[in-house]
Amino acid sequence: MVAGTSILPSCSDSFLEEDMVTSLSTQHFTTAEGLDELSTGMYQHLRFQFNYEWAYSMTQYGTDEFSTGGDRTWALWNTYQADLNSETWHVGDWWNNIYGNINSANIMIANVPRYYGDLPARDTRLGEAHFMRAYNYFRLVRQFGGVPLKLNPSNSVELEFRRNSEEEVFEQVIADFNKAWELLPAAPEQTGRITKWAAAHFLAKAYLTRASELYEGWNGATKQADLENAVLFADRVINESPHTLADDFRDLWHYTKPNDVNETNPEIILAAQFSDNTATQGRFGNQIHLYYPSVYQNLPGMQRDIPGGREFQRLRSTNYAMDVYDRVNDSRFWKSFKTVYSSNRPGTAPVWEEGYAPSPELVGEPRFAGGEVAIKYIVNNAGDNRYTQDNIKFEAPHTFVRYFDGEAESFTSITGNYEASRWVALSKFMDGSRSSVASQFGRRDGILARLAETYLIAAEAHGRLGDFSAALPYINEVRARAAYKEGEDRSYYSDGGLAYINNEAVNQDAFNSYSDKNTYYESNNIATELTDATSSALVFGSVADIFASDAEFYDYVGANSDEEKFIHFILNERSRELMGEMLRWEDLARTKTLVVRATRFNDEAQPDPNKHYYRPLPQSYLDGIRWDGQNLTPEQKQQEQNPGY
Amino acid sequence: MNKKLREVPQTSRRASFGGRFFRLVLLGMVFLWGALGSLEAQGRAISGTVTDTQGFPMPGVNITVKESPGVGVITDIDGKYQITAPNDNAVLVYSFIGFQVEEISVSGRSVIDVILMEDMLGLEEVVVVGYGVQRRSDLTGALSSVSSEEIQRMPVANMAQAIQGRASGIDITSNERPGESGTIRIRGQRSLTASSDPLYVVDGIPLASKDAINNINPADIESIDILKDASSTAIYGSRGANGVILVTTKRAKKDALSMNYRGTLTIEKMYDRMEMMNSADYIEFRRDAYRTAGSYPDVPTRDADLAIFGMDDYAWANIEQGWAGGSWDGSRVSTTDWTDMVTRTALTQEHNLSVSGGSDNVLAYGSFGYLNQEGTQLGQEFERFSTNLNVEVTPVDWFKYGASVNASSSMQEYGFDSTSPSGARSLYAAALGMLPYAVPFDDNGDRINLPGGDVNILNPIGDEKYSIDERKTYRLLGSLFAEVNLMEGLRYRMNFGPDYYQRNRGIYRDAMSMNRGGGEPGSTNYAQYSTDSRFSWTLDNLVYYNTSFDQHNLGLTFLQTATSNRTETSQMTAENLPWNAQKWHQLNSVSALSGFGTNLVETTMTSYMGRVNYGFADKYLLTASARWDGASQLAEGNKWDFFPSAALAWRLEQEDFLAGVHWVNQLKARVGVGTTGNSAIGAYQTLGAITQLYYTWGESVDGGYVSSDASLATPNPMANQDLGWEKTTQWNLGVDFSFLNSTINGSLDVYTSRTSDLLMRMGIPALTGYTTTFANVGETSNKGIDLNLNTYNFRGRDFSWTTDLVFSANRDKIEELSMGKVDDINNLWFIGERLAVGYDYLFDGIWQDTPEDLAEMAKFNANGHAFQPGSIRVKDLDGDYQIDPDNDRGIVGHSAPSWTAGLTNTFTYKNWDFSFFIYSRWNFMVETGAERLQGRFAQRKVNYWTPDNPSTEYPRPNYNNFDGDVYRTSMNYQDGSFIKLRNVSLGYNLPANVASRLGISNMKVFGQLMNPGLLYSKIDWIDPDLGGSTFNRGVVFGVNIGF
């Protein structure tokens, strides 16, 4: 045996040295290469908006556009019930994720001047960081009001934090967006990178937001200049950038494969990038495709499939979401909502009942075959006398009618035979390119800013400056694009489910639920095909037309003055254009119309005007911070918390 | 409807060929035993038989006449003796090593049969301590031992089960999934987030992780010694803070050849303490939930039922039977017994064969063990082959070499486990989640994927075939030593302990499995293959020096040791595999993997230790040790630390003043103090690892990094460059005693410890960019009492009764946290409270529709609440009529028990023995009881509030409330105290003469009732021992044969 001489490897210090080969350390961020990679890592956070259930519940629930569907998991965000409080997961998740990205931006802002040298991308890196910091504080301030401003990276545990005022946070947001505007390039190095036009868009939006009603208590000094700046920066994007409105509203949503042309449409100013690279897709993917669809899979003759999507049935469109459109002339409704499904499981199709079959010999025979229309949603108006509970049994497809004969119009209840799981679903996010029906990993990009919104920002700013006629051309640009073009087939429909045609995971020979038809003609009760352009019906000739257009809503929400009517008009136009694009709650909150619009148009939302214009600060923040080395007392926590929570 | 409930074919993996063979052997043995009767021996004048308490004759017992010690005889092979006594009043002395000496007066008799009691204290018995052995009488620290006899008393699948309730100071939870074991805590928990697992040392080699518990065959264990106090564990320095479990495997004894076979067969079934709503109850319950939501009429109608139950034709057909008579009669709706379709009567068989032999120069032992355990839930199974070989050679008197190898190969069918955090964790739980009125199969016998029609309630029947999680583990644990006697009293020893662990895990989920969509269109299959391989080694250089002079005994030990661990892991995942039969064995059949990765973790440690044992006159004993440890995972500059200990013992019975006190057989007082450490944090925590994230620019993928990503399941913690050791200093005061002719024996220890510089993963404000960090902060304390008591309540010739009691009480407490004496609410840590507590609103009943309650509610509702009759009422602690998290939450319980106890009573009568074992854990919180009561999912039967049933137990169901009542979680804290009768066993020993006629030296057959049930529990819907509602109950048959 090698007794006494036996190995004593341990004597040397090197035996205890740790050698981490599987990961890089934060030291990496002190090199130019590391900072480039930090920038890439930072972009990943743009996906957060589309990652999970955070964003839609905090931006779409509890508004006029959408209410709770058959799955009530996050209904508290819609109803404003008592458990919408500081312990609700989402507020903590939202907060933690956003501050995490702010930290990345802070590292970048601190390290680029010291370590990046004079490489060509220096300004871009800095500009991206300023944009990210501004973008994130902007999101925080709109949800929570004033939040603590943390502007330098942390290298050790820090616990002493206090909220800054709303005013200070806005100042920081605007300063950072301005820096980003100065530093960022006009053309991106790579698809998806932030440009100065994105900075300008958000800067215009930040100015407009600060000039909105919610901040009336303190924004008097900056309001006029802010509105002028909003116009200035919006105009820069509209006039100076390469961005133009898509020719057809459909072009934005007509998705046939990952990274399809719709994702590089010049209208898109900034989009979170997703792709079909599964190994690098991260933890979530774009999940928004899950939340809007209503349930189709359990109707006889139907089953789930990739183009139809996996129905999490969270967001049920309200009657407002349908009635805000001129559904005869405004193509945006029919390009945003799905009304027809084909039968993909003919073996279980329902059969004709006696007395309702088209002919006696068909009794007991399937009402439809595979590929034929199996489900149709009729989006009609109250007063339509064509449908009754009984006579829809004459229809071959499952027929869901918004208003039966004799039923009164209602904005705060589910009407016809629509129900908690059956509604006309928003289809902007449908994703037929996923690897399986069950896959939550959506592959479509998520739009964060597009030019139509820039137009509406400029229009709103002009209107708020009192110059409605200056707003008119901007509004008309957007509405002209929304109109049907001459010869356009109004019964044609498409959504992102169409990507099934290029999807290897889909058996192309089998029936699927996708239909390229809508119920335009039946819903509108129009017998003959229409081919004329409708721009003349949508484009306003004068300011007076604005106030004439949404007249029934103005009374309903109690808007009297032109100023009030104009704000409500803009909100309606934003709905028509940006329906479901996860901007709504913040728009209603900043304009202080949340309570009136949510209670008047949403059957479940009961926001409290003294409380619900702001979200609760997460309890983990209040419990985790110290003031002068001490935990906060309950009184101090309440002082730090938003009122009412 | 029952005809639709088809029998589901069980998975076909049955006992292997070896198992079947053993089963036959076992049956043969049982048959033999039945054919034989018992026989007894006779004696003559001053003659007799010496037997042990179990009735075995004892050969070789020394018998002398007290008056003339030189005269003596020994008993023959049958325990018989003859001796001539000098006179009628002579006193005979019977002695045998390991047994108590008996002195018996002849008193004119000519036949004297004697039963010798085993020396329970085993004062001369040698016990294993860190880096050596000691006589029990010389111990200065607190130690619990479990012998192989105790381990074998119950058929146990792993070490944790063997220790549970057998040794004081140790709290072990239960886990019934085959191949899994509970958690072990020695003297409570000290650490808040660093590991609280004890250190396992097998044959002198400290193991890198606790997974050895499942890999070592309990039948190969000779003894388990548990070091509890810091004066004993400090010898393991930085690794000793959570106690040390020393496992010694069996080895040969000198001059004995033996062969042993032991086999058991266990038959188990699952029982459930929870009652689910039957169809009639459930239908009414869902109606109530919809009524609250305003969408169901007060009086049930068929149409209204159709609207809320009509999604699935088969389920609706069942409900329609309730309307068959025109009016509603819920009793006509049948209830599907879902759980019956996922459970089975499970068989477990275990076989162990061991051989050993030894001469003066060579000792050799070998064993083979086989365990095949079926789970009571379909799809769960555990099979283990194990072998233990050891040999010790002493070629010359100054040199000794030994090697032992423990090898095992096991395969665990883990069974169903949901991938979603909200999903059922087991097949049984998934079956419990099924709607009672729905049915599993359609008229063609095909599975209905969504019974009841809810898209989130998938049919689990048959999922054991579709959801496979197979974990194969290979383990090789070696211990090699060479020892040289350099001179009288001076030895050098080298230990080398390699430990190789390999686990291959394959997961396959068929498209038909619940986790993959249950066969609904678009469901895809999924496979994952992962490997874990770890190689660790420990190398000890030890020098021992022992000497004695006059009345002084001195022992010195010096150690230098180094340990290294290297773990490599890999994993790959694929979806949508082109054919099912490949499971995870051909992942290249997909064009692109959906996930893959590899990883490497290395840690090293090195230490120096010195120890002195000093004894004076066998009365005063001193042990002192010092250890220096360095660990790689701590930050530069903080890697090394020093851990001292000292202990004193005083054997009072050796003192003259107790010499005349005959009822005291032993009395030893001990006091010890020591410091131990805990570095049980992962590697690289001080280095600031960053998180890789990918982003795509259009189509091109780019790798990027951030310091930490809060959207991940476990975001990177903030690096801490100052991370050092967590240290525990413990005082222990103990007494070992034996009274009244050794009929009462035991030990009592009280201890107090303080743990400082706690290594904590603590939540920090996200404004720092991180949500957590590891830090040395705070302080906890622990105090407790451990009692071991063994008593002979009765002993006679044919009958004896003994009781073993272990009792442990422990109270841990948080003394300080990161900011001093300031609570950390985010992490639920509160100064002066237990370490693991619940913190929530305090349940105060249900609001009622009474004028008083309505008036009270109005005051709350004026402050923004929405209380209604039927809502949960919680305490408004500050009385401001506003329930808020800052003022109205409080501590609702702690999850560690106040005390635990195990009580074993053993009765022997002639060749029979009978024993039962009772186990109790007292005063701990179990988080269960809150119910969502939405009316959408299956529901435990509870007394909920409705306008007609003003219950005070559970709130009103509400279909609009997915998450249930706002204050639902306040109902989640229950006192889990329980007393459980864990087993009852009966054994029969074949008389020695019969055995020898059969050519065997001894044989025992036994039967046992496992888990007869709870004798006491405050919660009636779960088994608080297990934390869930179900438990397994069964019977065991076994045989033990020595050749």
Side-chain angles (χ1 to χ4, degrees), chain A residues 95-117:
Chain A
W95 181 276
N96 292 350
N97 276 280
I98 288 177
Y99 271 111
N101 197 244
I102 288 172
N103 188 55
S104 298
N106 284 337
I107 294 173
M108 188 79 92
I109 292 166
N111 286 10
V112 165
R114 291 166 66 193
Y115 303 111
Y116 201 78

Side-chain angles (χ1 to χ4, degrees), chain B residues 793-807:
Chain B
N793 305 320
F794 185 84
R795 48 181 160 180
R797 192 191 179 298
D798 290 333
F799 177 70
S800 75
W801 171 25
T802 60
T803 301
D804 299 338
L805 172 73
V806 301
F807 174 87

Side-chain angles (χ1 to χ4, degrees), chain A residues 6-7 9-10 15, chain B residues 131 199-209 236 239 475 477-481 493-500 535-542 559-566 603-607 627:
Chain A
S6 75
I7 330 135
S10 44
F15 185 70
Chain B
Y131 300 105
L199 172 69
Y200 294 90
V201 178
V202 176
D203 292 335
I205 305 298
L207 300 185
S209 74
Y236 289 102
R239 304 168 76 179
R475 179 109 191 204
L477 203 62
S479 167
L480 292 84
F481 74 88
R493 181 180 167 112
M494 188 173 94
N495 291 327
F496 179 63
D499 175 4
Y500 179 71
F535 180 69
S536 324
W537 55 259
T538 298
L539 180 69
D540 296 341
N541 288 294
L542 280 154
L559 163 79
Q560 180 273 331
T561 180
T563 299
S564 158
N565 298 300
R566 181 185 167 94
T603 60
T604 52
M605 203 178 139
T606 180
S607 318
R627 179 164 171 142

Side-chain angles (χ1 to χ4, degrees), chain B residues 802-833:
Chain B
T802 60
T803 301
D804 299 338
L805 172 73
V806 301
F807 174 87
S808 314
N810 175 279
R811 192 186 143 85
D812 51 42
K813 192 163 102 178
I814 295 177
E815 297 287 343
E816 260 184 50
L817 291 163
S818 54
M819 294 299 293
K821 295 202 176 288
V822 175
D823 293 342
D824 182 340
I825 302 169
N826 273 350
N827 292 303
L828 300 187
W829 295 328
F830 301 91
I831 303 300
E833 299 293 335

Side-chain angles (χ1 to χ4, degrees), chain B residues 821-854:
Chain B
K821 295 202 176 288
V822 175
D823 293 342
D824 182 340
I825 302 169
N826 273 350
N827 292 303
L828 300 187
W829 295 328
F830 301 91
I831 303 300
E833 299 293 335
R834 300 291 293 260
L835 268 59
V837 297
Y839 182 69
D840 209 330
Y841 299 101
L842 310 177
F843 181 70
D844 195 22
I846 305 293
W847 287 108
Q848 299 296 330
D849 197 1
T850 59
E852 308 82 66
D853 276 18
L854 289 170

